[in-house]
Amino acid sequence: MIRSARGALLQLWLPILLIGLWWITSTGSTSLYFPALSDILDAVGQLWLFEHAVSDLLPSMRNMLTGFLLAVVIGVIAGLILGSLPRLLDAVEPELELARALPAVAILPIAILVLGLGDNMRVFVITLGAVWPVLLNTTAAVRGIDPTVRDVESAFGIDTVSRYLRVRLPAALPQILAGARVSLYISIALLVISEMQGAGQGIGHFILASQRNYAVVDMWSGVIVLGVIGYLLQLAFRAGEAALLRNYPPQRTGK
Amino acid sequence: MTITGSNEMSTHTGASVNPEPATGTPEKLVTIRDVGHDYPTRDGHRTVLDKVSFDVKPGEFVCIVGPSGVGKTTILRCIAGLQPSTRGEVRVNGGVLKGPSSDVGLVFQDYSRSLMPWMTVADNVALPLRTRLDRTERERRVTAALNEVGLDQHTGSKPWQLSGGMQQRVAIARALAFGAPLLLMDEPFASVDAQTRAELEDLSLRVRDDSGQAVILITHDIDESIYLADRIIVLGGSPASVIAELEVPFGPHRDQITTKSLPEFGELRKAVHTLIQDASRSMGQKGATK
Ligand SMILES: Nc1ncnc2c1ncn2[C@@H]1O[C@H](COP(=O)(O)OP(=O)(O)OP(=O)(O)O)[C@@H](O)[C@H]1O
Ligand SMILES: [Mg+2]
């Protein structure tokens, strides 16, 4: 108890300090672009509890989580196969490098052309951008599995399904999760970007629309909500990661 | 188990090829005939093994010794089917080996790599049996194997929660539960302390007695090879072949202290030591045997 409280304090002192500074320096601010923090927090309470949470936050989160989960599923499956078949990997590596180097943002106009302005386009862009860390980490992890493990697989005649699901997937899991964590950040960023084009709702749309209407306080409230959501998602991710890695030797869990 | 009653050690050079065809008679579980192996190099290939021939009877405990780098691991991987031999033929249970076989179980040297850290001890042992056996039979075998190696109290632990010796016992249990008539071990006790090593040696002897499996074990430790083996096979030369086979006349029941203080033990130690020393001298490198 005491230790975890102390840990929380260690983690939180800087944010608390910065928020305090922000609060003090912005009090009575007349600047159009940097309104008083107290006004922003008022707006957060009024706008996001709970009217816009339902109209904007919910659809945004749905798109983001769909895109992120699709990215993880696709990345893990493709990575398991590519990492297991070195010759296939050699054949597609140049294309992979090219595709990865292309920022997902650059795909946005094309995605809009092909898929229109709806949720499908947003999910597509998020998946496309977020798939790489998972895919590359999974590939590298599977390729790096100790040769002894490969020998165990073949010496004991372990069937293909078990090889993938019981040996390679769990062997790669710590690295897959490290990749997925990066993918989560990317998903949030791409969510916002994808909503800045022709969206009728969503938190990214809300921020941009507020800015265009000079509703600066509202805009800041959206930014703050986004930050808090991002932080909570990371907390949830870490909890999930710890649960998934509880069977692994301590030094392998993440960091 | 056929153990020669006499005290004399029959030492014969292995270059002579047994002319009779291997027909899978029950007298021979493994027949290795003229096995050769090349590793590819930048300019062509390097012949590591040439005309390796020997047999293993059912239930027999065979130790392979030889200078470091002579090709012991290579021949074991050929017998395991992990690495098809370039020349010659390996027969297990009468059939020519073309790849990994359910007739061959394997214990690797490095338990920390060969066991799956995220699986419990019981799941590790059960892994090779998943698609082979139904649940009840699988559980029965896993329990029996873990009892045999004395780990019945640790079925739910993760390998990394156990000591090195216990982890290697998990690996032995896995090979045991696999139920193959032949067990291969490549320096299985090289990374545990002396006390644990002695325990694991006695465990291997007991497992062989109880299961009737034949064992081929590679070791760098001459005393270990004499203590465990019914027959010692010495590899030497470059490319390597069998330079000597020594019968060890101690019978199935051995004891770390009394067996090792028998006069024949000392004679065998001297003989094996000389053979390995000569072999490593002729390889032009230092033997890594103690
Ligand atoms: N994959 C490989 N490719 C090329 N050469 C190899 C390969 N594996 C082994 N060798 C070479 O073949 C020879 C025999 O190797 P091997 O591992 O079978 O020897 P060993 O008797 O098991 O040695 P040690 O006692 O050190 O374990 C060595 O000279 C080694 O360098
Ligand atoms: Mg070796």
Side-chain angles (χ1 to χ4, degrees):
Chain A
M1 260 325 261
I2 292 172
R3 183 175 293 174
S4 70
R6 195 189 278 171
L9 212 63
L10 273 174
Q11 264 199 344
L12 287 177
W13 71 269
L14 187 61
I16 288 173
L17 185 74
L18 290 176
I19 290 168
L21 275 177
W22 187 2
W23 184 282
I24 293 162
T25 51
S26 68
T27 305
S29 163
T30 51
S31 159
L32 182 60
Y33 306 117
F34 300 101
L37 182 54
S38 52
D39 295 345
I40 298 174
L41 292 183
D42 277 349
V44 168
Q46 278 168 20
L47 294 173
W48 296 99
L49 303 175
F50 292 91
E51 189 192 335
H52 284 277
V54 175
S55 65
D56 290 296
L57 201 52
L58 225 53
S60 288
M61 286 303 110
R62 201 181 53 227
N63 286 345
M64 193 221 68
L65 288 176
T66 311
F68 169 70
L69 290 177
L70 272 176
V72 170
V73 170
I74 294 170
V76 167
I77 293 175
L80 280 175
I81 294 169
L82 284 174
S84 300
L85 305 171
R87 255 178 273 154
L88 178 64
L89 181 60
D90 287 345
V92 301
E93 201 149 32
E95 286 85 347
L96 278 183
E97 289 297 327
L98 193 73
R100 183 180 62 129
L102 209 62
V105 184
I107 300 293
L108 197 59
I110 306 170
I112 291 173
L113 266 185
V114 177
L115 296 170
L117 285 167
D119 285 346
N120 287 349
M121 177 275 288
R122 278 179 261 286
V123 171
F124 174 77
V125 170
I126 292 167
T127 305
L128 190 72
V131 78
W132 301 109
V134 178
L135 174 58
L136 296 175
N137 266 30
T138 311
T139 308
V142 172
R143 197 148 70 147
I145 289 176
D146 197 292
T148 310
V149 173
R150 297 290 175 97
D151 284 347
V152 170
E153 286 179 353
S154 32
F156 289 110
I158 292 168
D159 61 297
T160 311
V161 175
S162 295
R163 280 182 197 209
Y164 279 95
L165 295 185
R166 292 184 192 282
V167 179
R168 294 176 196 175
L169 178 63
L173 190 61
Q175 268 173 276
I176 292 175
L177 289 171
R181 188 193 288 225
V182 179
S183 292
L184 187 60
Y185 281 116
I186 296 179
S187 301
I188 298 172
L190 284 174
L191 164 78
V192 175
I193 292 169
S194 75
E195 284 178 350
M196 293 192 166
Q197 290 277 339
Q201 56 183 19
I203 185 158
H205 161 76
F206 177 89
I207 293 173
L208 197 74
S210 308
Q211 182 242 341
R212 288 204 178 124
N213 299 328
Y214 295 99
V216 177
V217 173
D218 293 1
M219 178 196 83
W220 275 105
S221 79
V223 171
I224 284 188
V225 167
L226 198 61
V228 170
I229 293 288
Y231 180 69
L232 292 179
L233 281 171
Q234 286 298 327
L235 282 188
F237 185 88
R238 254 194 253 173
E241 190 179 36
L244 282 169
L245 294 183
R246 71 186 181 285
N247 285 334
Y248 288 70
Q251 69 270 23
R252 285 190 69 177
T253 51
K255 312 163 229 188
Chain B
M1 227 165 310
T2 47
I3 307 291
T4 41
S6 71
N7 274 353
E8 70 183 57
M9 345 176 249
S10 59
T11 312
H12 78 85
T13 34
S16 66
V17 177
N18 196 336
E20 66 170 59
T23 47
T25 51
E27 262 308 289
K28 282 166 194 164
L29 178 69
V30 188
T31 43
I32 293 153
R33 282 293 166 276
D34 297 328
V35 165
H37 196 79
D38 302 342
Y39 283 114
T41 55
R42 250 175 283 118
D43 41 340
H45 59 81
R46 190 175 148 228
T47 302
V48 173
L49 299 177
D50 196 37
K51 292 205 183 330
V52 175
S53 301
F54 63 91
D55 299 331
V56 180
K57 296 191 263 297
E60 194 178 20
F61 207 124
V62 171
C63 285
I64 299 180
V65 296
S68 188
V70 75
K72 303 183 294 293
T73 297
T74 307
I75 186 70
L76 203 80
R77 290 178 63 83
C78 289
I79 304 171
L82 289 173
Q83 188 174 278
S85 62
T86 319
R87 294 171 295 282
E89 172 179 286
V90 177
R91 279 172 184 264
V92 181
N93 244 346
V96 177
L97 204 76
K98 297 221 167 56
S101 148
S102 57
D103 285 332
V104 185
L106 212 52
V107 176
F108 296 84
Q109 174 183 339
D110 198 340
Y111 44 80
S112 66
R113 293 161 193 249
S114 89
L115 298 173
M116 311 298 150
W118 56 88
M119 285 183 190
T120 63
V121 164
D123 285 345
N124 264 289
V125 176
L127 178 66
L129 309 175
R130 287 236 164 246
T131 47
R132 275 170 236 270
L133 302 173
D134 65 63
R135 198 196 175 90
T136 358
E137 172 63 10
R138 194 166 70 217
E139 278 169 6
R140 199 192 58 76
R141 274 225 223 159
V142 170
T143 312
L146 285 171
N147 278 341
E148 177 77 24
V149 302
L151 283 179
D152 38 324
Q153 299 300 311
H154 300 273
T155 51
S157 307
K158 304 293 176 318
W160 46 272
Q161 295 167 328
L162 306 177
S163 70
M166 287 158 102
Q167 290 183 50
Q168 196 58 306
R169 281 194 268 162
V170 178
I172 293 173
R174 180 173 63 187
L176 199 60
F178 193 55
L182 176 65
L183 206 59
L184 303 180
M185 308 196 193
D186 189 355
E187 298 187 39
F189 315 136
S191 21
V192 298
D193 60 275
Q195 176 62 34
T196 310
R197 186 176 189 132
E199 282 167 25
L200 289 174
E201 287 169 6
D202 290 329
L203 173 72
S204 326
L205 284 172
R206 201 182 68 232
V207 161
R208 189 275 307 263
D209 275 353
D210 294 349
S211 70
Q213 287 171 301
V215 181
I216 303 179
L217 183 144
I218 290 177
T219 177
H220 265 131
D221 185 331
I222 294 175
D223 281 18
E224 179 170 278
S225 73
I226 302 167
Y227 182 65
L228 291 175
D230 299 318
R231 194 151 45 92
I232 297 173
I233 290 174
V234 186
L235 288 185
S238 180
S241 56
V242 177
I243 57 167
E245 290 191 32
L246 296 88
E247 295 288 337
V248 182
F250 299 147
H253 302 296
R254 305 184 183 194
D255 178 87
Q256 291 283 355
I257 293 160
T258 54
T259 307
K260 285 186 175 171
S261 46
L262 290 169
E264 295 94 327
F265 198 96
E267 285 165 34
L268 276 164
R269 181 194 284 136
K270 214 166 100 191
V272 176
H273 192 84
T274 314
L275 282 162
I276 293 175
Q277 214 166 36
D278 292 351
S280 58
R281 228 176 260 138
S282 70
M283 279 175 72
Q285 63 182 83
K286 258 187 86 198
T289 359
K290 68 174 201 184

